[in-house]
Amino acid sequence: MSDQQTSDKQPYFITTAISYVNGLPHLGHAYEAISADVMARFKRLDGFDVHFLTGTDEHGQKVEKTAIAADMAPKAFCDQNAAHFREMARTLNLSNDDFIRTTEERHIKASQAIWKMLADSGDIYLDSYAGWYSVRDEAYFDEGELTDDPDNVGQKLAPSGAPVEWVEEPSYFFKLSEYTDKLLAFYEENPDFIMPATRKNEVVSFVGQEGGLRDLSISRTTFNWGVPVPGDDAHIMYVWLDALTNYITALGFPGDGIGGVAGRDAAYKTHWPADLHIIGKDIVRFHAVYWPAFLMSAGIPVQKRVFGHGFLNIEGQKMSKSLGNVLSPDAMINEFGLDQLRYFLMREVPYGQDGSFSHEGIVQRINADLSNDFGNLAQRSLSMINKNCGAQVPSNAALNDDDQAMLDAAANLVAEMRAAFDVQAFHTALEAMWTVIRAANAYIDAQAPWKLRKEDPARMEAVLYTLAETIRRLGILAQPFMPTSAGKMLDQLAVPGDATASGSVFGAGLSGLDLSEDIAEGGEGVDLSGQSGPNASANLPRQFAAVTDPAYMLAPGTVLPAPEGVFPRFVEAEAE
Ligand code: MSP
């Protein structure tokens, strides 16, 4: 990120939740990671100095219990499962700059540092906890929040449906009650802090409950798998205090503060407070109540926004091990293709709402939106140029008003999509793109360039130029969603840029689709964004600024490579 070349850019820090390593990554984790990657790539292409963080949450009772059940030492168990999440980041072509594990030394130091800051503020006291705890949620609940389990007399359930157990143990507490009014005032002053609005309402009514917030137990004594409380080894830190701290650990916190490494916090200085924590709707309370209160107590600025996305169901049913419908991202990439999956998830589900994955739904999107609408637009236009214009960008000497209107519609997309991304309305941004894609298909039909070849070759050139230039603009704007496919489209228009910078598809042996041509050489780790780092200037022609800057318009006479289909149709495998 911040090197000399990029230091004049505005910083942007975006994070996902860090996943518990008690199980393997599933489609819900992939959904969150892809959405954050789409946002991160968009901001990079829009000229920001982006830092994108994801990782794993490895402490706590849930992980410890699962490790014991697997007959493994917790650390070895975490190493094994964290590797799957790290691998998922690669297979999803995430452009993350860092992958944090909460068992890392840097994180243990940062967690202990924030603890000391809360203690120094006078916000921690020793007492004992007697109450309900849900191991699955790693959360404490008041009696009033629980329901009776209809299938198990005497068992109480948390709002998530997870069983709770009664816990009594010595515990340190955080004076959360003192933050009730401060939090309410903060929400009032920062109306877009919690999004979407429905989640905000839930938080405001929780914080504003009769009597306000109650103090929070922030240490445990009945098991060991956690960060030791500074100065009291009998306690480990409550996993959520440790986990939330990951967001600042990764930037080098506490720097030259307590226990930190001086000079390692350059990113903390430039990139904190975070611009956006992307998380699921089930963990909004931790991010929008506890985390800001901890930060206020420590005297650290509060993050700018928490976006609680919805949950993905499978064919209308909740994903669960017992239903056997937990979908693995790898299997879906193999079946449908990575960019196709990324597109489907971002287009199908209005971001913030719950959504459902269905086989029929993704096939429909692949064949109608990608193959028919976008793929054919490019394929038809580029084939005509290849055959009729000597495989060169045609002349733009005589563009008429229709042509200009087409080009303007594509240029205006930058502002429309930016407005949608400002509020994480990814589906709206795609809708806007597709309005232009459909308009471009209607433009081809209306202009009928195939008829013009003999009748009016100069007009044919103007039409084909307009189409090629429209596709260039669309290709640039499609990159955050479908980095590899959009990159290929830009390659076909000879738009300069590092082809591998737009990422790669992993996992050969795709079925259903003929995607062999889509498997690019995977440049790993470095500068997947095509924006920051050493390739930044080389990739300027693929940045959003190049959509509207006339200097980057296609130059007539530029030789183009032979066109190839970018979005193949999905063909159902023959039933045996
Ligand atoms: N470890 C905590 C987060 C700590 S953040 C400081 C946690 N982990 S998790 O593995 O249970 O969930 C990780 C993320 O995946 C959460 O944001 C969660 O909401 C999201 N999802 C888990 N299942 C999901 C779906 N079925 N659909 C969409 N997102 C879901 O919570």
Side-chain angles (χ1 to χ4, degrees), residues 394-404 443 456-463 465-466 556:
S395 163
N396 61 0
L399 301 185
N400 71 16
D401 287 353
D402 289 345
D403 307 337
Q404 200 52 55
Y443 168 90
D456 188 350
R459 180 71 202 128
M460 177 195 73
E461 295 229 358
V463 170
Y465 179 88
T466 302

Side-chain angles (χ1 to χ4, degrees), residues 340 343 363-381 434 437-438 440-442 444-445 489 566-570:
Q340 284 78 357
Y343 171 77
V363 170
Q364 168 76 12
R365 290 277 176 206
I366 291 174
N367 288 344
D369 299 10
L370 295 180
S371 191
N372 279 358
D373 292 345
F374 201 12
N376 272 350
L377 169 67
Q379 184 68 10
R380 293 208 271 175
S381 309
W434 254 256
I437 289 171
R438 293 200 185 100
N441 279 319
I444 305 194
D445 294 341
M489 225 176 237
V566 173
F567 295 115
R569 288 184 70 75
F570 181 91

Side-chain angles (χ1 to χ4, degrees), residues 21-281:
V21 289
N22 59 305
L24 295 177
H26 58 60
L27 192 64
H29 297 120
Y31 174 61
E32 177 171 307
I34 289 170
S35 68
D37 185 57
V38 166
M39 186 77 214
R41 287 178 183 272
F42 189 95
K43 293 303 262 188
R44 285 199 197 93
L45 291 162
D46 209 16
F48 287 73
D49 177 13
V50 172
H51 194 69
F52 170 26
L53 174 69
T54 188
T56 42
D57 187 356
E58 306 190 6
H59 292 129
Q61 215 172 351
K62 172 157 75 174
V63 170
E64 192 193 60
K65 276 190 167 178
T66 326
I68 291 168
D71 209 11
M72 286 178 80
K75 181 59 169 56
F77 178 78
C78 290
D79 288 347
Q80 173 193 288
N81 276 1
H84 292 292
F85 281 91
R86 202 188 277 272
E87 183 59 20
M88 181 184 77
R90 264 166 47 88
T91 53
L92 296 178
N93 195 6
L94 300 191
S95 61
N96 56 304
D97 299 279
D98 194 356
F99 186 100
I100 189 164
R101 297 184 54 190
T102 55
T103 45
E104 289 170 51
E105 195 54 32
R106 60 174 172 160
H107 180 68
I108 291 163
K109 289 204 164 121
S111 302
Q112 292 182 329
I114 199 169
W115 178 286
K116 287 184 190 151
M117 290 162 86
L118 305 184
D120 287 350
S121 300
D123 280 337
I124 295 183
Y125 62 93
L126 183 61
D127 200 337
S128 61
Y129 179 77
W132 298 103
Y133 192 78
S134 155
V135 175
R136 199 155 93 198
D137 299 311
E138 294 285 14
Y140 303 93
F141 291 98
D142 289 340
E143 181 95 35
E145 294 179 278
L146 307 178
T147 52
D148 291 319
D149 183 348
D151 302 326
N152 190 356
V153 179
Q155 177 66 60
K156 291 195 175 292
L157 301 177
S160 63
V164 290
E165 56 191 50
W166 185 257
V167 170
E168 276 189 37
E169 58 187 346
S171 174
Y172 285 96
F173 279 78
F174 173 72
K175 291 185 188 165
L176 186 62
S177 56
E178 306 221 331
Y179 289 87
T180 304
D181 293 340
K182 288 178 196 147
L183 286 167
L184 290 171
F186 184 82
Y187 305 144
E188 185 87 25
E189 281 156 27
N190 300 278
D192 297 330
F193 175 64
I194 307 166
M195 287 181 68
T198 45
R199 313 262 185 267
K200 178 185 170 167
N201 299 340
E202 289 159 17
V203 168
V204 171
S205 57
F206 172 70
V207 176
Q209 65 185 276
E210 184 87 21
L213 292 167
R214 291 162 39 144
D215 289 350
L216 180 70
S217 162
I218 51 164
S219 75
R220 304 287 314 265
T221 42
T222 44
F223 65 98
N224 296 320
W225 187 234
V227 178
V229 165
D232 191 347
D233 279 355
H235 293 249
I236 54 164
M237 287 170 63
Y238 172 41
V239 63
W240 271 101
L241 173 51
D242 143 13
L244 289 160
T245 304
N246 92 85
Y247 300 130
I248 51 178
T249 304
L251 298 181
F253 169 86
D256 43 17
I258 317 161
V261 180
R264 289 252 179 98
D265 60 345
Y268 179 62
K269 287 187 176 132
T270 52
H271 282 68
W272 189 262
D275 293 272
L276 183 60
H277 289 323
I278 293 233
I279 54 160
K281 64 176 184 179

